[in-house]
Amino acid sequence: MKLLQLVTVMDQAQQLENQGEIIAAVELYQEWLSAANSDDAHLRHVAFYNMGRLLRLLGQLAQSISAYEAALQLKPDFYQAAVNLGLAHEAIGCTEKALDVWQRALQSVEAQTLLLNHSGRVHENARHYDQAQAMLKHSLTVNPEQPDVIQHYLHIRQKMCQWPILEAVAGISEQRLLENCGPLGILALSDDPAVQLNVISSWVNRKIPRNLPRLSPVNGYSHDKIRIGYLSGDFCWHAVSILTVELFELHDRQRFEIYAIDYSVDDKGALRQRVLQAMDHHVPIHGLLDQQAAQAIRDLEIDVLIDLTGLTSGARVAILAHKPAPIQVSYLGFVGTLGMPEIDYILADRFVFPEALAQHFVEQPLYLPDVYQVNDTQRVIGETPSRAACGLPDDGFIYCSFNGSYKISPDVFAIWMRILDRVPNSVLWLVADNEIAKTNLCNEAQKRGVDPERLIFAQKVVPMAYLARYRLADLLLDTSPYNAGTTASDALWADLPVLTCPGSSFASRMAGSLLNAVGLSELIMPNWHAYEERAVLLGQQPQQIAYYKNYLRNHKLETPLFDSKRFVRGLEQALLGICAQDGASSEHEAYPIIEIVSATLKTEDDFWNRSPLGLSLQRLQQDKRLRPRITYQNRLGLPEIYNRRVLADDAADFLVFVHDDVWIDDFFLADRVIEGLQCYDVIGVAGNKQRQPYQPSWAFVQSDGKLKIDNQENFSGSVAHGTEAFGQINIYGSAPAGCELLDGLFLAASKRMLRQHGVLFDQRFNFHFYDLDFCRNATKFGLKIGTWPICLTHQSGGAFATQDWENGRILYFGKWGS
């Protein structure tokens, strides 16, 4: 019998694998390897490698290891086999063997980063942060273009309190480090919600499949009871389940049916059992791929899918990318935007999510009446230990912060050290997160003139003992920009007051929300100076601390924060509201709504009877798709007017932003807008296909300090000019065409797309340059912009080189540079 060529064997083995016949595929390789001679025997290492991969799929790890070892004996520099051999050792718990394999592997340049990254990952999981950091730093030195490695490298530094976090490495700029620090890292690194949105959106676009076919029907379902699916990888001993378990128990079963969509680790714990017992249905999806899990959710006809894990470790947000439920909500697990247009809402309250924050979230806030955080009022607090048993001094003031070390920022730590310096006989009680963080924090204290002995690190204890420890402390000092969330509610549950200073982001406003809801808003400080002064004052007023503790002990159950039934009723009302809106959408007009947004100095009467836009809209009033939204006698900047319509919750599919001195000559305006926005995310009537450095207009460039018309080949679109409709047409270039800049006299966009991507008009540009800034912002967030043939006549030729225009230019280039 003629021996098959290896390439033929590989093809046949792949076919068998595709059919699920993995054992037969292994036997095929074994038969080929056992043959005495072959023209391609020099490729035996490839056969052993492929066989090792198949054996791993069968769960035969010992045999898989032997196959990979045989491949490496034949070809010692076969780094792919070294990688998989290490992973197989790791899978059976032999991490030291895995690290040894990767360390000894003969490395080509392309292999180095792969081997280093796996080694770094194993060290990080083992909490050997210094070794993990060294491996990843080496990897970035070999290849700086690794966003995922940057993310892990920075988060390891956060966990180690290795300041500054954004330390230059491998020639990577601080800005690039920041942009790639990842979703969780950015919440603890920046309080700027715009920066958070940018980092998270970039991560999501890189990691999560985009623009997948929608699985759920747009108009939802008609069920007697609303089906709520809670999607989580944390139905175990985890902060999310600690907070939510009573919520699941208290849902009104007359109106709701509750599903646990579960991919959590089964830790066999009592909390997991309690969570699952509280559900009407348990739907484990551990063995399903993301698309299969999404289809399973669709098959269950879930009305509202509430994701409890977000972008934290182990999350499976790609399930949500398939839109398996008509309404999808983010809650609790991740306290920032998920950056995914498939998520409709985020549960919030009006303190933690002020309206100004909406422009930096893809999701709409779904406001709860009192507080965003639910709590379990059945948590048991253990017997209070002695101070000595916890390593605390018998007397003196105990400040504490039991947040993870990655939340401790250098600026806040510096304030803590000033507080200790000003309050003699006080100590700061922290969590012993890892030994390197302890060492670094002690060194930082010493740098600031504080005896490191005044930092006391708590060890891990069982949950009841953990809660009891709070009763030994006098005041919890909050972190920023990532507040205490569960930690703050734990403290308040154990009758310990919390001091916080809210910032601009959701993550930096959590503790303030909790203090509001427990009736202690006086502990929410307006700035960091006030935070420091109040902490020092309370450190010298034990009677005030006693008052707060007594208040919490006697009254906390009367407050919204710890009234679980009240919380659940508020949540259910909010969910009923959005389900009613979703149901109403099925009765919505069969045509899309196009909102015409404009502002005018004229009175309402003058606008409709004397302005070009008003007269044009009267001609088009028979088209029910067009809905004018005019601000009369306006004294605001156009960006503010336009942003209000982007952020408004009332129904509109498309927004058209147009000046009031524009005649709409196109009787098919609605059709043109709809057609154009099927091709581009933002359209205009005239634009420039290629922006030049320091270009101050879509039509002009700068040359020797003067304005001149750009090259004709860069232009697209047409606009007529004149005092009456149907004026003299100026054809700039063929349209439609993709552009970088558009003329702001007419811009149209999908309202949903602008909200999902957080694209707004910058209100610093009242009139001039708002359109250029908007185009650059849209492009920055990945929107496609272009021209579309729509017939307009513009009364004005534009105002250039005026003082207002010059001021706008300075501001514009100050923001964007070239």
Side-chain angles (χ1 to χ4, degrees):
M1 174 177 146
K2 184 179 177 182
L3 188 64
L4 296 173
Q5 294 289 311
L6 180 58
V7 66
T8 304
V9 172
M10 290 168 63
D11 286 342
Q12 293 181 0
Q14 185 63 59
Q15 292 175 23
L16 289 169
E17 182 183 351
N18 293 341
Q19 297 165 8
E21 301 289 339
I22 298 177
I23 293 176
V26 170
E27 291 172 347
L28 196 61
Y29 281 117
Q30 288 172 333
E31 180 181 344
W32 186 86
L33 286 165
S34 65
N37 295 297
S38 170
D39 292 340
D40 48 5
H42 62 288
L43 297 176
R44 287 168 62 84
H45 65 285
V46 176
F48 276 116
Y49 173 83
N50 288 345
M51 188 169 71
R53 186 184 61 80
L54 293 169
L55 290 165
R56 173 74 188 272
L57 291 175
L58 291 170
Q60 299 177 17
L61 289 170
Q63 296 92 326
S64 176
I65 287 171
S66 296
Y68 288 136
E69 287 176 339
L72 285 170
Q73 286 176 356
L74 292 168
K75 187 172 175 56
D77 63 347
F78 190 16
Y79 72 87
Q80 293 92 338
V83 169
N84 281 12
L85 175 59
L87 291 173
H89 280 306
E90 185 184 0
I92 61 175
C94 298
T95 54
E96 292 301 323
K97 281 190 176 181
L99 291 169
D100 182 61
V101 166
W102 294 329
Q103 181 68 28
R104 290 186 294 104
L106 296 179
Q107 302 172 10
S108 61
V109 172
E110 64 174 317
Q112 285 187 50
T113 55
L114 196 56
L115 296 167
L116 289 166
N117 295 345
H118 278 301
S119 299
R121 177 183 54 77
V122 169
H123 281 303
E124 182 180 4
N125 291 341
R127 301 172 71 85
H128 303 150
Y129 294 133
D130 52 346
Q131 293 167 282
Q133 178 186 224
M135 292 288 181
L136 298 186
K137 186 174 185 178
H138 187 180
S139 177
L140 289 171
T141 303
V142 176
N143 178 13
E145 301 299 326
Q146 299 185 84
D148 291 342
V149 178
I150 293 174
Q151 175 185 339
H152 281 269
Y153 173 76
L154 293 177
H155 199 45
I156 288 168
R157 290 179 67 82
Q158 288 178 311
K159 292 175 182 176
M160 295 165 60
C161 298
Q162 190 80 35
W163 303 329
I165 303 301
L166 299 179
E167 182 183 60
V169 57
I172 304 171
S173 70
E174 183 176 316
Q175 181 62 31
R176 274 194 55 223
L177 289 172
L178 179 68
E179 290 169 353
N180 291 287
C181 70
L184 191 61
I186 194 60
L187 298 186
L189 198 58
S190 172
D191 187 42
D192 186 335
V195 172
Q196 291 182 0
L197 173 63
N198 189 35
V199 170
I200 291 167
S201 297
S202 175
W203 186 92
V204 165
N205 289 333
R206 193 173 76 247
K207 306 286 282 187
I208 308 299
R210 303 283 73 224
N211 302 315
L212 297 173
R214 176 190 177 116
L215 293 180
S216 61
V218 173
N219 295 331
Y221 310 104
S222 297
H223 299 134
D224 293 336
K225 298 180 183 179
I226 294 174
R227 299 178 184 179
I228 301 177
Y230 286 101
L231 174 67
S232 182
D234 298 321
F235 291 141
C236 52
W237 185 257
H238 186 277
V240 167
S241 287
I242 290 170
L243 293 173
T244 55
V245 61
E246 195 169 20
L247 159 65
F248 308 141
E249 294 168 339
L250 291 175
H251 267 304
D252 181 357
R253 262 47 183 199
Q254 298 300 312
R255 296 190 292 179
F256 299 93
E257 194 170 356
I258 311 303
Y259 294 71
I261 316 296
D262 174 25
Y263 57 95
S264 317
V265 173
D266 185 0
D267 60 1
K268 310 296 182 184
L271 180 60
R272 175 172 171 80
Q273 295 308 310
R274 186 180 160 200
V275 166
L276 296 184
Q277 286 171 7
M279 302 291 184
D280 297 318
H281 307 277
H282 178 214
V283 185
I285 57 169
H286 303 78
L288 302 181
L289 300 175
D290 291 335
Q291 184 173 1
Q292 294 171 325
Q295 186 61 53
I297 294 167
R298 167 63 182 87
D299 292 343
L300 291 168
E301 294 192 357
I302 298 297
D303 294 297
V304 181
L305 185 62
I306 301 178
D307 177 70
L308 295 172
T309 310
L311 301 177
T312 57
S313 178
R316 295 182 63 182
V317 288
I319 293 171
L320 297 148
H322 294 271
K323 193 71 172 177
I327 299 174
Q328 301 192 152
V329 182
S330 172
Y331 181 49
L332 208 59
F334 186 76
V335 289
T337 180
L338 298 190
M340 296 174 59
E342 297 83 5
I343 314 298
D344 303 293
Y345 299 98
I346 181 169
L347 287 173
D349 61 62
R350 292 190 180 276
F351 183 93
V352 81
F353 198 116
E355 290 185 5
L357 194 56
Q359 63 184 302
H360 304 298
F361 271 65
V362 172
E363 309 86 343
Q364 295 182 55
L366 180 57
Y367 286 122
L368 300 173
D370 302 304
V371 62
Y372 83 96
Q373 190 192 83
V374 66
N375 272 278
D376 174 24
T377 57
Q378 300 180 37
R379 283 181 292 172
V380 177
I381 301 175
E383 185 177 345
T384 305
S386 67
R387 282 192 168 191
C390 295
L392 298 168
D394 290 331
D395 58 355
F397 195 89
I398 310 295
Y399 296 103
C400 80
S401 178
F402 287 167
N403 277 333
S405 58
Y406 76 95
K407 288 187 178 182
I408 302 176
S409 65
D411 291 342
V412 173
F413 187 78
I415 294 171
W416 291 352
M417 293 304 99
R418 292 201 297 271
I419 293 168
L420 290 186
D421 185 57
R422 295 175 62 188
V423 182
N425 208 26
S426 65
V427 297
L428 178 59
W429 198 12
L430 302 168
V431 170
D433 200 68
N434 63 84
E435 291 301 313
I436 302 171
K438 285 173 60 175
T439 300
N440 284 337
L441 290 172
C442 287
N443 290 339
E444 291 292 333
Q446 196 154 30
K447 287 179 187 176
R448 290 166 171 80
V450 174
D451 185 350
E453 295 294 323
R454 295 177 69 184
L455 303 187
I456 298 171
F457 294 92
Q459 301 300 317
K460 284 190 175 181
V461 292
V462 297
M464 288 190 299
Y466 157 76
L467 287 172
R469 280 197 308 208
Y470 280 107
R471 291 183 162 166
L472 297 178
D474 295 303
L475 181 66
L476 186 143
L477 296 176
D478 196 18
T479 48
S480 186
Y482 201 151
N483 282 181
T486 307
T487 308
S489 59
D490 288 343
L492 295 168
W493 179 244
D495 309 327
L496 176 67
V498 174
L499 186 71
T500 191
C501 178
S504 301
S505 63
F506 191 124
S508 68
R509 301 180 65 82
M510 293 190 294
S513 168
L514 305 184
L515 286 167
N516 261 338
V518 83
L520 291 177
S521 57
E522 64 199 79
L523 293 175
I524 305 171
M525 296 296 103
N527 54 59
W528 288 104
H529 174 73
Y531 174 98
E532 179 179 338
E533 294 302 317
R534 180 62 64 88
V536 170
L537 185 64
L538 291 174
Q540 298 165 343
Q541 293 181 335
Q543 70 280 4
Q544 186 64 38
I545 294 296
Y547 164 79
Y548 288 137
K549 289 188 172 188
N550 186 61
Y551 166 81
L552 289 167
R553 185 162 47 249
N554 294 316
H555 299 289
K556 64 176 179 279
L557 288 175
E558 303 165 8
T559 68
L561 182 60
F562 296 114
D563 188 340
S564 300
K565 290 181 180 178
R566 175 174 172 165
F567 177 91
V568 176
R569 298 291 86 82
L571 171 62
E572 289 178 343
Q573 285 302 315
L575 295 179
L576 287 167
I578 58 175
C579 287
Q581 290 175 20
D582 190 61
S585 68
S586 62
E587 302 171 8
H588 192 278
E589 295 93 335
Y591 47 80
I593 301 302
I594 302 169
E595 193 172 279
I596 309 296
V597 184
S598 189
T600 182
L601 296 175
K602 300 179 184 297
T603 64
E604 183 174 0
D605 182 69
D606 277 350
F607 172 80
W608 287 106
N609 293 298
R610 294 178 179 84
S611 75
L613 182 61
L615 293 167
S616 299
L617 292 175
Q618 287 199 61
R619 286 205 311 266
L620 297 171
Q621 62 182 329
Q622 78 284 353
D623 193 332
K624 300 303 182 185
R625 294 172 294 180
L626 300 177
R627 303 283 175 86
R629 181 73 69 163
I630 313 300
T631 300
Y632 308 105
Q633 296 177 287
N634 178 52
R635 292 295 182 268
L636 302 174
L638 287 182
E640 184 172 350
I641 299 294
Y642 291 173
N643 286 345
R644 288 179 179 180
R645 300 316 307 155
V646 176
L647 298 173
D649 289 333
D650 49 345
D653 299 287
F654 306 108
L655 298 174
V656 171
F657 307 105
V658 58
H659 293 181
D660 68 337
D661 61 346
V662 169
W663 295 93
I664 298 175
D665 300 331
D666 203 318
F667 287 104
F668 299 97
L669 174 67
D671 297 303
R672 301 284 183 264
V673 169
I674 294 168
E675 291 166 359
L677 291 176
Q678 289 174 344
C679 185
Y680 298 103
D681 299 312
V682 179
I683 58 171
V685 292
N688 197 307
K689 293 180 282 188
Q690 184 174 332
R691 181 182 60 82
Q692 305 298 320
Y694 292 105
Q695 183 165 347
S697 160
W698 75 269
F700 294 95
V701 294
Q702 293 190 119
S703 177
D704 299 325
K706 297 180 180 179
L707 294 178
K708 72 167 190 174
I709 297 290
D710 196 8
N711 294 330
Q712 186 71 34
E713 60 266 23
N714 290 335
F715 290 152
S716 171
S718 62
V719 179
H721 289 86
T723 57
E724 300 295 335
F726 305 100
Q728 181 67 41
I729 299 176
N730 294 316
I731 299 176
Y732 301 109
S734 62
C739 290
E740 292 192 54
L741 300 174
L742 297 173
D743 188 342
L745 72 98
F746 180 99
L747 297 169
S750 159
K751 182 174 182 177
R752 181 170 174 268
M753 287 296 289
L754 296 183
R755 289 168 67 114
Q756 286 172 352
H757 290 271
V759 177
L760 291 170
F761 293 86
D762 191 328
Q763 293 182 195
R764 289 177 291 180
F765 303 104
N766 284 337
F767 186 81
H768 301 292
F769 290 89
Y770 76 89
D771 47 356
L772 269 66
D773 176 84
F774 176 77
C775 290
R776 295 189 68 175
N777 199 34
T779 304
K780 174 184 174 183
F781 284 102
L783 300 187
K784 293 195 309 180
I785 69 176
T787 53
W788 203 258
I790 298 173
C791 299
L792 306 176
T793 296
H794 191 200
Q795 273 195 338
S796 168
F800 298 97
T802 64
Q803 188 57 53
D804 284 344
W805 184 87
E806 186 60 35
N807 292 340
R809 177 167 68 167
I810 293 170
L811 188 63
Y812 173 71
F813 288 123
K815 175 179 178 179
W816 291 101
S818 63

